[in-house]
Amino acid sequence: MRRLFPAPLLSLSLCLLWLLLNLSVSPGNLLLAVLLGVFAPLLMAPLRPVTVRIRHPWTVLRLIMRVGIDVLISNLQVARGVWSAKRRAPRSRFVHIPLDLRDAHGLAALSMITTVIPGTIWSELALDRSILLLHVFDLDDEAQFIEHFKQTYERPLMEIFE
């Protein structure tokens, strides 16, 4: 049964979505919905990532709270930097951050975190996943920023995924 339905919830969702989008439960639409629900997950099964095991769920909650706080703080800092740009130009630069995190799921989460936080842009990841190039909108102390980044985001992700 698992071979025919590698993702049963996805199959059911695709069937229901097809019927909802067509606003019809005609026999033709039912057949197409079932075909879509069965064959789309089968065709996409090789593209699904390996399942992940989260080791510390409380760390996930703490990280989510920390990212939320950092998003608010960064919004205010970027807004202040934009408003005061005539008095003091932002000191934006690229920062090379050495990474200890190697797990693909952890790196994906880290890229999403840096995308969500205003003032930081994930620019490049080394092929061996050892160095991240990050663009920062306004940076005073590079060493302090690197330490904050590693302590606040990378270490919890290593706890969660490795």
Side-chain angles (χ1 to χ4, degrees):
M1 193 67 170
R2 191 74 171 162
R3 232 181 297 168
L4 183 59
F5 295 106
L9 288 176
L10 179 60
S11 293
L12 180 64
S13 299
L14 287 171
C15 285
L16 293 175
L17 185 62
W18 180 267
L19 295 172
L20 182 68
L21 288 173
N22 286 296
L23 296 174
S24 171
V25 287
S26 68
N29 273 324
L30 284 172
L31 178 64
L32 286 173
V34 170
L35 289 174
L36 181 68
V38 170
F39 288 113
L42 284 173
L43 293 172
M44 301 301 166
L47 300 176
R48 295 188 71 158
V50 289
T51 56
V52 65
R53 183 173 160 256
I54 295 182
R55 289 165 175 62
H56 299 280
W58 291 112
T59 305
V60 173
L61 293 174
R62 283 197 317 269
L63 180 61
I64 289 171
M65 293 298 293
R66 180 62 205 197
V67 169
I69 291 168
D70 283 355
V71 165
L72 294 173
I73 291 170
S74 291
N75 269 312
L76 296 173
Q77 289 173 341
V78 168
R80 186 184 64 211
V82 169
W83 283 106
S84 65
K86 287 188 178 189
R87 284 178 270 147
R88 183 187 72 84
R91 293 176 295 266
S92 57
R93 65 176 104 160
F94 288 94
V95 180
H96 289 90
I97 300 175
L99 292 178
D100 299 318
L101 179 65
R102 296 288 187 267
D103 182 75
H105 296 98
L107 289 169
L110 187 63
S111 72
M112 287 184 275
I113 289 170
T114 57
T115 301
V116 166
I117 296 179
T120 58
I121 298 172
W122 178 291
S123 299
E124 184 179 14
L125 180 63
L127 289 175
D128 64 353
R129 299 178 176 179
S130 63
I131 297 176
L132 167 65
L133 180 63
L134 198 68
H135 184 267
V136 182
F137 174 70
D138 192 12
L139 184 63
D140 291 327
D141 184 5
E142 185 173 328
Q144 180 184 1
F145 177 82
I146 291 172
E147 181 58 33
H148 170 76
F149 187 87
K150 290 181 74 62
Q151 189 70 28
T152 307
Y153 308 122
E154 185 185 26
R155 287 207 176 75
L157 287 170
M158 288 174 66
E159 282 181 36
I160 295 166
F161 293 108
E162 292 184 349

